[in-house]
Amino acid sequence: MPKPRKRIVDRKAIRAAKRPRCQVCGSTWMLCVHHIKSRGAGGDDVPENLVCLCADCHAKAHGGIISKTKLRELAGR
């Protein structure tokens, strides 16, 4: 049985994805970097998979209220 692949964490890419405002609503409250394709599903720390969101938009993204298509558009820069 093959060993599970260990995910490489690219802190530089995550720092680069941070913005002063939420990329959806413009809020400056509780910002974090969100993986569009989750790390558990094999999503990597690459610019095309990272978007900076406030806590409210982050919850909406996880709840499916903000679509992955919209998030990909924002990450495409």
Side-chain angles (χ1 to χ4, degrees), residues 7-21:
R7 187 176 75 87
I8 298 170
V9 177
D10 186 349
R11 295 186 194 283
K12 186 177 178 182
I14 292 173
R15 279 193 305 271
K18 289 186 179 179
R19 300 282 182 265
R21 297 187 173 276

Side-chain angles (χ1 to χ4, degrees), residues 32-49:
C32 63
V33 175
H34 172 73
H35 289 79
I36 299 165
K37 181 177 181 181
S38 72
R39 293 178 292 191
D44 291 323
D45 298 333
V46 294
E48 305 81 41
N49 192 43

